[in-house]
Every structure is written in structure tokens, then in C-alpha cells.
Amino acid sequence: GQNIDQPTEMTATEGAIVQINCTYQTSGFNGLFWYQQHAGEAPTFLSYNVLDGLEEKGRFSSFLSRSKGYSYLLLKELQMKDSASYLCAVRDSNYQLIWGAGTKLIIKP
Amino acid sequence: IAGITQAPTSQILAAGRRMTLRCTQDMRHNAMYWYRQDLGLGLRLIHYSNTAGTTGKGEVPDGYSVSRANTDDFPLTLASAVPSQTSVYFCASSDEASGTDTQYFGPGTRLTVL
């Protein structure tokens, strides 16, 4: 079966750096997405990786290793507004997105 | 309208009743999707449509139906609601021509079936 694994919850301090990991086992691979979802709101797109390596977008970076079935989302200079769930999703060989259950990130002052 | 809208925002429904959740996008995206999100689980695809006039089944299609008469609208119908369909429902759309085919989500409908 297809599987996306992420930690259920993480806690970090305002101003610090946090890395959220995602491992996947899917039938085929056509890209990996990270989304942010604040409580009670819709997921919003953060990043997309299809080739190995690091993609940087301001305070957020996302890394992919296809051979290891692994990605991480790195958040720098954490702000209170970064408290949210972070969803990892992989596009499989059928071109459908397979979603992880999400990592709830709690930021403490 | 800007982006994707969904209606209603929330609904409490008696079991056995019929319900249609509405979804409209104004981005001229070719593909649209319906997901449900339940606590502790990832988003699960119910139905999708790659282009107007076509639909397909996702991971959890039973008890749901969709139609795609035009590019903008993609309603989801529960023919006879059951309590296990209590969930938050998200509609999304994407544009294959964008390269990444990133999905963009509506605000969601919170449905409770009693």
C-alpha cells in the first residue's frame, strides 16, 4: 500500500529553526508537495519538489531525496503565526496526491 | 469571486437526507477535486474531474457522486447521508498547464450527519 509518514506533533520556540520530516512509500513518484493548514482553514501551498535537493523560499525550505523516499520542510526564524499543521503529499504514478496526516507545529514564546 | 468558493460553510444533516455541497472556481482550472479530512487522517480523495464532462473515482467514493457540467462548478452529492460521512469537505482545483499542477483549496464545508 501507499504510505506517507510524518510526526504527529512538534514543539519549537519562537525565533528558532524546526525541521519537519516526511517519509513516503508510493507507487511511483511525480513530485512532493508541502502545504500549511491553520486550524479551521484550508490547506495552502508552500513548496514543490520533483528533483533531489533543496528548494528555498524565504524562511521556508524543502528538501527531497527520491532514493531514500524522504523529504523535510525547514522553517527558520519561527514566528507565532507559523503555528499550524504541515501536510506532506506525494503525487503517485496515477497522478493522484497521497497525503500524510500532517504535523501539528506548536510555537512557544 | 476570487479563487474557489464552497457552500455551505457548515451544515447539520439528518441521516438519510440528500445533500449537495457546492464548489465554484473562477481560475479556469481544468481539474477539480473533492477531499474529506478527518482527525488523524490525511486528506482522502473522494472524486475528481480532469476536465469538464469527465469525472473519476478517488480513494473513498462510496456514498458520493459528482458532476462536471462546466469548467467552473463541481458539486458533490450525498444521496443518503450516514453518520460516517461527518467530516470536513474540501474542494480543490489545479491547472495542468502550470507545470507543477499545484492544487488550490476552497475554504471547506463542515458537515455533521446525525
Side-chain angles (χ1 to χ4, degrees), chain A residues 4 6 20-22 24 29-36 43-50 57 61-64 71-73 86-92 95-100 102, chain B residues 33 35 43 93-95 98-105:
Chain A
I4 310 283
Q6 310 177 229
I20 302 174
N21 296 324
C22 170
Y24 63 89
F29 178 85
N30 285 294
L32 184 144
F33 295 82
W34 284 96
Y35 281 77
Q36 181 189 60
T44 55
F45 170 71
L46 284 178
S47 68
Y48 170 74
N49 295 72
V50 68
K57 261 191 192 180
S61 303
S62 56
F63 171 83
L64 174 67
S71 173
Y72 67 73
L73 181 69
Y86 291 86
L87 314 182
C88 174
V90 173
R91 183 180 289 145
D92 69 7
Y95 226 69
Q96 300 296 346
L97 284 184
I98 309 301
W99 295 81
Chain B
Y33 313 84
Y35 290 94
L43 288 160
S93 71
S94 69
D95 180 12
S98 72
T100 64
D101 201 15
T102 299
Q103 293 186 16
Y104 296 93
F105 287 79

Side-chain angles (χ1 to χ4, degrees), chain B:
Chain B
I1 298 178
I4 304 179
T5 59
Q6 293 184 235
T9 302
S10 64
Q11 182 75 44
I12 299 174
L13 189 65
R17 297 297 295 268
R18 181 183 179 90
M19 175 75 192
T20 295
L21 308 185
R22 299 184 299 278
C23 174
T24 299
Q25 54 107 357
D26 66 354
M27 297 178 285
R28 308 303 294 173
H29 285 174
N30 57 303
M32 297 186 75
Y33 313 84
W34 274 105
Y35 290 94
R36 60 179 290 172
Q37 187 175 41
D38 302 291
L39 198 63
L41 299 177
L43 288 160
R44 291 184 291 169
L45 183 65
I46 304 170
H47 285 285
Y48 65 94
S49 169
N50 288 329
T51 190
T54 69
T55 62
K57 294 182 179 180
E59 178 186 357
V60 289
D62 293 345
Y64 305 95
S65 64
V66 291
S67 61
R68 186 90 183 275
N70 57 60
T71 297
D72 298 345
D73 301 300
F74 191 42
L76 176 75
T77 297
L78 289 67
S80 179
V82 294
S84 62
Q85 291 178 311
T86 293
S87 188
V88 180
Y89 291 86
F90 288 103
C91 179
S93 71
S94 69
D95 180 12
E96 288 178 351
S98 72
T100 64
D101 201 15
T102 299
Q103 293 186 16
Y104 296 93
F105 287 79
T109 294
R110 185 173 297 274
L111 181 67
T112 302
V113 183
L114 301 176

Side-chain angles (χ1 to χ4, degrees), chain A residues 31-83:
Chain A
L32 184 144
F33 295 82
W34 284 96
Y35 281 77
Q36 181 189 60
Q37 185 177 25
H38 285 102
E41 298 183 7
T44 55
F45 170 71
L46 284 178
S47 68
Y48 170 74
N49 295 72
V50 68
L51 299 176
D52 291 351
L54 189 68
E55 294 281 343
E56 296 187 79
K57 261 191 192 180
R59 294 189 299 114
F60 292 7
S61 303
S62 56
F63 171 83
L64 174 67
S65 169
R66 288 172 296 171
S67 62
K68 295 182 179 178
Y70 168 70
S71 173
Y72 67 73
L73 181 69
L74 192 71
L75 291 73
K76 303 176 185 176
E77 301 169 14
L78 286 170
Q79 302 175 9
M80 297 304 292
K81 68 179 181 179
D82 297 329
S83 291

